Amino acid sequence: MGVWETTAIVSLAFLLSCVRNVHGEGTVSSIITKSLFEEMLKHRNDASCPAKGFYTYDAFVKAASSFPHFGTYGHNETRKRELAAFFAQTSHETTGGWETAPDGPSSYGYCYKEEKDPKKDYCDKNATQWPCAPGKHYYGVSSNLEHDLCICYCAYPSFWCRDCSNYNYGQAGKAIGKDLLHDPDLVSKDPVISFKTAIWFWMTPQSPKPSCHEVMTGKWKPSKEDEAAGRHPGFGVTTNIINGALECGKHSKSSTDRIEYFKRYCMLLGVTTGEHLGCGKQKPFA
């Protein structure tokens, strides 16, 4: 075989590989290996973590397989950055870290799976399409009480909704094929379901907001209104999507914590963070 033929074959193989990635082929586990998962979430099974033993690598991989484009769209750098962003946001919602924690506060993601001292039951009686089930309660799963986010993603850790109402449990349950309205406790009992609800939120646009997936993979193109509001592609917009009303347009300790998690995970994945990490100069989405 001549040099020209060899070069042509190698080039074709490379192009086919790129096409496969762009169309969502490949697996999340090829990037997030079990050893990397353990390093990223190295303190989640500490004795002091209420979620000890809950969030497993196998549960994450199984849940991710239900969303073909999650962490598989684009080239490797894009895929790694999206996964770093996903783990950063969910880690913040379930963090057990503190300022002087050994290994740093950004090493304590996935420590919680239920809201600390729940202050309210998020039953929205106006959500008639997804009525509250008799005797059931809809709580958050977040360890951060600055906002009312549910981290169903564990989950995933738990930020799958703007609030933890029956409306969100209903939508997420329909999407993943589980009756979360009548059995909302599944989110904190089954780690696969926890991860699925988190990934569902990550992948699903909620107008006028794009999905976090669209932002981190470059699918989202800001409108003139977005640009005027300071919303430019980058990790900061995912924070705006999740909790912009409380964290964006100002300095926010929570937003900074999210960024630190993101930086750590990008470092572990060997990828740059990109630009526009914060949302302090962004207007929240309407």
Side-chain angles (χ1 to χ4, degrees):
M1 183 180 295
V3 173
W4 186 90
E5 290 87 347
T6 300
T7 302
I9 291 173
V10 171
S11 298
L12 179 59
F14 173 76
L15 289 173
L16 288 174
S17 174
C18 292
V19 169
R20 283 196 296 271
N21 279 344
V22 167
H23 289 282
E25 296 186 18
T27 62
V28 167
S29 60
S30 66
I31 291 179
I32 305 295
T33 62
K34 189 174 190 304
S35 61
L36 180 57
F37 183 86
E38 297 298 334
E39 178 62 23
M40 291 170 73
L41 309 174
K42 62 196 303 179
H43 288 286
R44 77 187 189 285
N45 290 327
D46 284 3
S48 60
C49 285
K52 179 182 178 182
F54 184 71
Y55 302 120
T56 67
Y57 178 72
D58 289 345
F60 167 67
V61 171
K62 184 175 182 179
S65 68
S66 296
F67 299 85
H69 293 286
F70 170 68
T72 66
Y73 185 90
H75 302 298
N76 274 349
E77 185 175 6
T78 299
R79 298 171 64 193
K80 289 179 178 180
R81 194 175 289 119
E82 179 187 8
L83 290 167
F86 174 79
F87 275 98
Q89 294 290 10
T90 52
S91 290
H92 166 77
E93 300 296 344
T94 53
T95 188
W98 64 101
E99 188 173 351
T100 59
D103 298 318
S106 299
S107 298
Y108 289 79
Y110 289 42
C111 189
Y112 286 84
K113 63 187 179 78
E114 294 175 309
E115 187 175 4
K116 293 179 184 174
D117 305 318
K119 300 291 190 255
K120 61 185 288 190
D121 174 4
Y122 300 87
C123 176
D124 182 358
K125 295 181 179 179
N126 294 319
T128 55
Q129 182 182 359
W130 309 106
C132 302
K136 298 298 180 181
H137 302 283
Y138 307 94
Y139 295 121
V141 194
S142 176
S143 66
N144 289 284
L145 302 184
E146 176 184 341
H147 46 81
D148 296 333
L149 287 183
C150 321
I151 289 188
C152 273
Y153 50 108
C154 304
Y156 208 159
S158 326
F159 63 29
W160 51 284
C161 37
R162 280 294 307 276
D163 59 58
C164 304
S165 70
N166 43 298
Y167 177 77
N168 293 293
Y169 275 86
Q171 283 192 101
K174 180 180 180 181
I176 68 172
K178 295 292 181 181
D179 186 2
L180 297 182
L181 271 180
H182 290 87
D183 197 357
D185 292 339
L186 280 174
V187 173
S188 61
K189 290 181 178 179
D190 187 325
V192 175
I193 291 175
S194 226
F195 276 108
K196 280 186 176 182
T197 55
I199 299 173
W200 167 79
F201 176 87
W202 185 264
M203 301 296 293
T204 306
Q206 298 185 24
S207 183
K209 304 174 184 180
S211 70
C212 295
H213 168 75
E214 290 170 331
V215 171
M216 293 308 301
T217 58
K219 290 183 178 182
W220 175 67
K221 306 299 180 185
S223 65
K224 290 183 178 179
E225 181 181 333
D226 288 316
E227 292 178 345
R231 297 189 291 261
H232 304 290
F235 180 74
V237 173
T238 66
T239 299
N240 201 330
I241 291 169
I242 294 166
N243 202 34
L246 293 181
E247 295 184 32
C248 298
K250 59 184 178 182
H251 173 73
S252 166
K253 184 177 183 299
S254 288
S255 177
T256 300
D257 182 68
R258 296 175 192 274
I259 293 170
E260 291 306 310
Y261 267 112
F262 182 53
K263 288 179 177 178
R264 177 171 178 264
Y265 293 152
C266 282
M267 182 269 294
L268 289 173
L269 283 160
V271 67
T272 60
T273 60
E275 299 181 308
H276 308 300
L277 303 187
C279 63
K281 296 182 179 180
Q282 296 180 18
K283 291 183 180 179
F285 285 97

